[in-house]
Amino acid sequence: MSDLRSLYQEIIVDHNRRPRNFHDLPDANRSAEGDNPLCGDRLTVFLKVEGGVIRDIGFVGTGCAISTASASLMTESLRGKTEQEAAVLFERFRELVAGSGSPAPGLGKLEALAGVREYPARVKCATLAWHTMRTAINPPGRDLPGAGNSATPGSIQ
Ligand code: FES
């Protein structure tokens, strides 16, 4: 196993064993539930958004090592980002784990999940938290950023 691959595996194991921001957020003004229809695992993502900036983020729920590590890494990546930046990162992450071209550089620790693209059945695991975050930030029917919201449960596509 290459050094890089081994480092990536260590990151995933660490974030699964000690997921960061694994808690609800009493003062969240955005939240959504998501599930992976392939396994039934569910999680909820909470965000506190002020002035279009993600001030705080947390998640709860159950999932496999990949989904838990991905959710944990996502929360670390998104704190302090604007909603627009979160949307861009969502697309770049999806390209990383499910795309066929070269992944965009500069994703930092998120690149630990790059190996998922070799296992199509695990892509939904890696993207579960991300789809849920996107629904929380931009639920169906919401046009403008800034309004408090709590989305209804939904499955990832
Ligand atoms: Fe359920 Fe991965 S097996 S989220």
Side-chain angles (χ1 to χ4, degrees):
M1 186 183 295
S2 73
D3 287 350
L4 190 58
R5 216 173 163 95
S6 156
L7 171 66
Y8 284 173
Q9 199 158 55
E10 273 177 38
I11 291 172
I12 291 169
V13 168
D14 177 47
H15 277 262
N16 175 49
R17 284 199 183 134
R18 297 186 305 115
R20 317 309 194 260
N21 306 301
F22 186 65
H23 51 73
D24 66 7
L25 221 56
D27 58 349
N29 54 7
R30 310 278 165 76
S31 67
E33 289 178 41
D35 72 279
N36 181 346
L38 297 180
C39 63
D41 287 333
R42 306 180 68 85
L43 56 78
T44 305
V45 173
F46 305 93
L47 300 111
K48 181 179 181 183
V49 180
E50 290 175 334
V53 177
I54 298 169
R55 300 291 181 197
D56 206 357
I57 179 169
F59 76 103
V60 298
T62 56
C64 62
I66 296 290
S67 68
T68 301
S70 181
S72 174
L73 288 160
M74 178 189 81
T75 62
E76 284 197 327
S77 303
L78 292 184
R79 184 175 282 114
K81 296 273 194 307
T82 66
E83 292 173 295
Q84 287 79 8
E85 287 169 338
V88 170
L89 200 53
F90 169 87
E91 293 300 337
R92 294 177 69 200
F93 179 76
R94 194 161 61 168
E95 182 61 27
L96 175 77
V97 298
S100 53
S102 302
L107 286 171
K109 283 186 181 178
L110 293 173
E111 291 175 14
L113 290 155
V116 167
R117 62 165 58 191
E118 293 168 29
Y119 306 94
R122 306 314 298 274
V123 170
K124 286 188 188 300
C125 303
T127 57
L128 172 58
W130 291 80
H131 282 284
T132 308
M133 174 278 297
R134 191 183 61 166
T135 301
I137 284 184
N138 194 22
R142 178 175 176 265
D143 297 326
L144 295 172
N149 223 320
S150 183
T152 53
S155 293
I156 58 177
Q157 302 301 309

